[in-house]
Amino acid sequence: MKLTPRILMVAGMTLAILVPLLLIRGLIHERQAYRLEAVRAVTASYAAAQALAGPVLVVPYVETFEVERADAQGVVRRVRQEVERQWTYFPEALDVDGELKPSARRRGLHEVRVYELAAAIDARFDVAIPGDADAVVPRRIGRPWLAYGIGDVRGLRGTPVLRVAGKTVAVGQGLGARAGSGLHARLAAPVAGGRITFDSRLDLALGGTESLAIAPVARRNHVAIRSSWPHPQFNGAFLPRTSRIGAGGFVAGWEVSALASNAQAQYRAGASLPAVAGADGEGGPTAAGLDGIGISLLDPVNPYTQADRASKYGVLFVLLTFVGFFMFELLKSLRIHPIQYALVGLALAIFFLLLVSLSEHIAFAWAYLVASGACIGLLGFYLSYVLRSRTRAAGFAAMLATLYAALYGLLASEDNALVLGSALLFVVLAALMVATRRIDWYRLSALPDSTT
């Protein structure tokens, strides 16, 4: 056996199998893009990922100045000029109590998680209006308004009910004089130098897709969210202070002080809503916004994410199998043709294609079991002829089953994937070193090529 050419052939065949593996990974990414299109289709007809901010009290006023201006004849005259300004006040305390009711919408093969939030938003205001003595120039105070930022008002179910100081007030669309999506309500004009003290409560039902963000704009903020969804992801700028997650759902509570949040400064700088997670519920914020509390209704086993992670180990599968073939050639004086290497490598690559296609129709665990079982059965049957022994083929099939089981363990335990993968590679290397510890590689390299 000419050792060096065989080693080069095994290395070349391993590199060649990279082509179908890369094509399959491209297909997985394409299917992921199709799912994102399904999410966008649902948000177009239902509602996008939601964000809530407020209430914020805005008090408009007009200042009057006297300025000198030249008229058309060049004569300088003193004229009066009015400038509109506003004071922005945040609540002393904000309490948000809500329940997320999850459901699903289907677009083709894809299931998109949606929810309906039933929430009560309680706020307390106690603000002092500047007096006339504090003004450098005369000013006139107008009617203030309460503003609630809402990411996608299409998600409103029914008409929200707003009570201010115990009385129901009418709500209008928009944030008043500020650009942005939401609701507002006009209040009575205050007296210069007086105080505005009241409690407000907004009851609303709001639909959204996959993610929810809430901005803690008050001096003291308490947020409590519960849901029957058992797989939440808490993101945003603040993690819950308390949380309980189980098979029946989750309950989470946040306590956030204005001392720990930049939301008020960000609102004054022009932001009106908190940033929300990506459309698929994963990743970072999609847009800059207020510091916020974030919740995503995750799919615990995203088939495309899992299949993509599995495909990253494809080269390792092929390499280990080819090394096993090479060891049989070396120790049993077998000759395995490059075409046989290629067919086995393609069978290993087809596993990942079967996995992603089956997982679109059945649960990922079952898809993995069916795809791996089919590939192990096919390779076991084929190798019984290639290796000229059913016993050898059964041993190879057992080795492949062990590899597939180890890969599933890596996928199911993402937090421990590195240590499990390192341990697997160590075990494989140790097995190879033990199997080849007595081989005289110089003598094998010098032997003439022969067949058995």
Side-chain angles (χ1 to χ4, degrees):
M1 174 185 292
K2 295 296 184 180
L3 191 59
T4 301
R6 301 302 293 178
I7 292 176
L8 293 177
M9 185 273 292
V10 171
M13 294 304 301
T14 302
L15 293 175
I17 295 299
L18 282 176
V19 175
L21 285 175
L22 290 175
L23 292 176
I24 291 171
R25 289 204 67 193
L27 176 64
I28 293 173
H29 294 161
E30 182 181 332
R31 304 300 288 185
Q32 285 178 311
Y34 288 158
R35 187 192 179 277
L36 292 178
E37 290 180 5
V39 173
R40 285 191 285 267
V42 169
T43 59
S45 59
Y46 185 78
Q50 287 291 6
L52 294 172
V56 174
L57 178 64
V58 181
V59 181
Y61 63 94
V62 177
E63 289 185 333
T64 305
F65 298 87
E66 286 193 354
V67 296
E68 293 183 347
R69 288 183 180 174
D71 58 16
Q73 288 75 37
V75 178
V76 177
R77 303 179 184 275
R78 296 184 65 84
V79 297
R80 300 180 65 183
Q81 178 180 340
E82 293 186 342
V83 178
E84 296 182 354
R85 305 183 188 277
Q86 61 186 35
W87 295 301
T88 301
Y89 299 102
F90 300 97
E92 289 293 310
L94 176 66
D95 288 278
V96 180
D97 183 78
E99 180 179 3
L100 282 173
K101 300 176 182 178
S103 57
R105 297 288 187 276
R106 296 198 69 88
R107 286 295 184 274
L109 295 173
H110 307 288
E111 186 176 275
V112 180
R113 292 169 302 284
V114 299
Y115 61 82
E116 185 172 304
L117 171 68
I121 303 174
D122 292 283
R124 184 172 70 256
F125 287 88
D126 184 6
V127 301
I129 303 299
D132 291 335
D134 301 323
V136 178
V137 296
R139 62 188 172 204
R140 183 176 70 257
I141 299 176
R143 293 184 62 189
W145 63 85
L146 274 182
Y148 292 83
I150 298 176
D152 189 347
V153 292
R154 294 178 306 130
L156 288 172
R157 303 294 180 253
T159 302
V161 177
L162 175 62
R163 296 180 179 86
V164 177
K167 297 181 179 179
T168 302
V169 298
V171 294
Q173 194 175 43
L175 298 178
R178 185 190 184 101
S181 174
L183 304 172
H184 74 281
R186 293 283 178 175
L187 307 179
V191 177
R195 298 190 71 85
I196 302 179
T197 303
F198 64 86
D199 292 333
S200 67
R201 179 185 179 96
L202 178 67
D203 293 294
L204 81 165
L206 184 67
T209 302
E210 296 193 341
S211 298
L212 170 68
I214 300 173
V217 296
R219 181 175 297 180
R220 297 183 301 276
N221 302 271
H222 173 75
V223 178
I225 301 293
R226 57 193 177 276
S227 174
S228 60
W229 186 256
H231 308 289
Q233 180 186 68
F234 302 120
N235 43 47
F238 307 96
L239 292 177
R241 184 176 181 181
T242 60
S243 64
R244 187 175 69 253
I245 303 173
F250 73 89
V251 177
W254 290 260
E255 296 281 352
V256 181
S257 167
L259 298 175
S261 171
N262 293 320
Q264 294 184 0
Q266 291 164 346
Y267 191 95
R268 288 194 172 99
S272 58
L273 289 169
V276 295
D280 58 355
E282 302 177 0
T286 57
L290 306 177
D291 285 351
I293 291 161
I295 304 170
S296 297
L297 305 183
L298 285 183
D299 184 349
V301 184
N302 185 311
Y304 301 114
T305 301
Q306 298 289 70
D308 184 56
R309 290 181 57 210
S311 68
K312 295 176 182 178
Y313 296 92
V315 176
L316 178 61
F317 268 53
V318 173
L319 179 60
L320 291 178
T321 303
F322 285 0
V323 168
F325 276 5
F326 179 74
M327 295 306 297
F328 266 102
E329 286 194 271
L330 189 67
L331 299 176
K332 301 299 181 181
S333 298
L334 289 173
R335 292 297 305 276
I336 302 176
H337 197 275
I339 291 179
Q340 293 172 320
Y341 274 91
L343 290 174
V344 172
L346 288 174
L348 293 172
I350 289 294
F351 160 75
F352 300 102
L353 184 60
L354 282 174
L355 177 61
V356 69
S357 59
L358 289 172
S359 63
E360 291 183 337
H361 300 275
I362 59 178
F364 182 82
W366 286 108
Y368 192 95
L369 180 62
V370 172
S372 60
C375 289
I376 292 171
L378 173 62
L379 289 173
F381 169 77
Y382 182 67
L383 293 178
S384 65
Y385 295 91
V386 174
L387 302 178
R388 304 172 191 176
S389 168
R390 292 184 179 180
T391 302
R392 295 170 183 172
F396 241 96
M399 181 199 74
L400 288 174
T402 302
L403 286 177
Y404 281 120
L407 176 59
Y408 188 79
L410 292 175
L411 298 177
S413 182
E414 183 175 357
D415 293 339
N416 300 315
L418 179 59
V419 66
L420 292 176
S422 302
L424 174 63
L425 290 175
F426 178 82
V427 170
V428 170
L429 178 61
L432 287 174
M433 293 175 70
V434 170
T436 60
R437 68 189 185 280
R438 299 184 185 278
I439 294 178
D440 186 344
W441 295 98
Y442 285 107
R443 184 180 66 82
L444 284 176
S445 300
L447 289 176
D449 195 12
S450 62
T451 59
T452 300

